Amino acid sequence: MTNRIALVTGAASGIGAAIALRLAADGASVALLARRRDRLEKVAAEIVESGGTALVVPADVTSPESVAAAAANVQQHFGDLDLLVNNAGLMHVVPFADGPLDDWRRTVDVNLTGVVNVTHAFLPALRRSAATRTTDLINVSSLAGDRINPGMATYGATKAAVSHLTRALRAELAPEGIRVTDLEPGMIDGTELADAFPAELRTMVDELRTNLPAVPVAEVAELIAYVVSRPRNVNLPRLIIQPSKEV
């Protein structure tokens, strides 16, 4: 990973922070993108204290203008990106008819439109990088996009769309040398996705994570580190990571 330049969205916590820390530990210069500057600065400080290189890039993935400014910032500090991990996401679990429409719109904006905005903004840099060096685009989707889960209609629909978008992008970008991977996690421990759940549902999720047990975020980061370290002519297009007992 030495000399590679990465950007991770949703890097303020959970899976995103774990990915950023692992990529930096392996030698990449990592741009950290999320809305919460204070949380990003904590992750960046941990990277720097360990001898790595990090850039804090506060941005809102739902805003094309914010993402464009972030792309210019990364370009100025690091040059052309060669590794993009779209990880930012949120989850509301509630029956569709009971959910506020604003929540559903926000879910689509972050989980799907955010991936479109970020990928579109950084694609020119990825294309330039692919001409001379290993280049990866990784979209973190979810097993929820391939399953029917009551209360997760909109979340699951956005993740199904992300997986489809990823497969379509691979068909378009593979001839240019850009490796594209759809990563679909199952039950993961150490994320904040369940923080907005009602108390009784959050308790149930916590018990499920304990009983499975859930996959630690560090294992997701380990898998991504493996994917991007493969020889340039090797692509792992679709990966699922879940607890051994999860069905």
Side-chain angles (χ1 to χ4, degrees), residues 143 146-147 182-186 223 238-242 246:
L143 276 179
D146 201 38
R147 296 177 174 177
D182 174 34
L183 178 62
E184 300 178 10
L223 178 57
R238 185 189 182 200
L239 295 168
I240 294 172
I241 181 169
Q242 66 183 124
E246 183 180 17

Side-chain angles (χ1 to χ4, degrees), residues 30-242:
V30 184
L32 313 172
L33 190 152
R35 290 182 302 156
R36 297 173 292 181
R37 176 185 286 274
D38 58 332
R39 298 290 295 273
L40 290 177
E41 289 176 344
K42 290 181 180 179
V43 178
E46 187 172 348
I47 289 174
V48 172
E49 287 171 4
S50 299
T53 301
L55 174 67
V56 171
V57 188
D60 181 353
V61 297
T62 69
S63 166
E65 295 79 14
S66 180
V67 172
N73 189 5
V74 174
Q75 187 70 35
Q76 178 182 356
H77 283 83
F78 287 157
D80 286 334
L81 199 74
D82 59 48
L83 171 54
L84 171 58
V85 182
N86 280 307
N87 164 75
L90 56 82
M91 179 194 300
H92 294 286
V93 178
V94 62
F96 183 82
D98 299 335
L101 192 56
D102 285 347
D103 286 352
W104 300 150
R105 287 173 175 157
R106 180 67 179 169
T107 300
V108 173
D109 284 346
V110 173
N111 293 2
L112 177 57
T113 307
V115 173
V116 172
N117 288 339
V118 173
T119 303
H120 188 267
F122 285 94
L123 188 54
L126 293 175
R127 280 178 155 159
R128 290 191 295 268
S129 294
T132 58
R133 61 187 195 267
T134 302
T135 303
D136 291 280
L137 167 61
I138 299 176
N139 291 333
V140 179
S141 181
S142 170
L143 276 179
D146 201 38
R147 296 177 174 177
I148 305 302
N149 297 310
M152 299 176 66
T154 304
Y155 176 77
T158 62
K159 291 303 185 178
V162 168
S163 291
H164 184 89
L165 173 66
T166 307
R167 292 191 292 271
L169 286 173
R170 183 174 186 275
E172 293 187 16
L173 300 176
E176 300 181 36
I178 299 176
R179 305 188 300 192
V180 181
T181 298
D182 174 34
L183 178 62
E184 300 178 10
M187 182 67 71
I188 305 299
D189 193 19
T191 77
E192 296 182 346
L193 285 178
D195 288 358
F197 291 1
E200 64 276 9
L201 181 57
R202 190 163 62 248
T203 298
M204 183 184 73
V205 170
D206 289 342
E207 291 176 353
L208 184 60
R209 283 173 169 166
T210 300
N211 292 333
L212 282 172
V215 174
V217 291
E219 290 297 331
V220 182
E222 176 77 18
L223 178 57
I224 288 183
Y226 176 81
V227 169
V228 301
S229 67
R230 295 308 83 204
R232 190 178 178 187
N233 65 328
V234 176
N235 184 201
L236 303 176
R238 185 189 182 200
L239 295 168
I240 294 172
I241 181 169
Q242 66 183 124

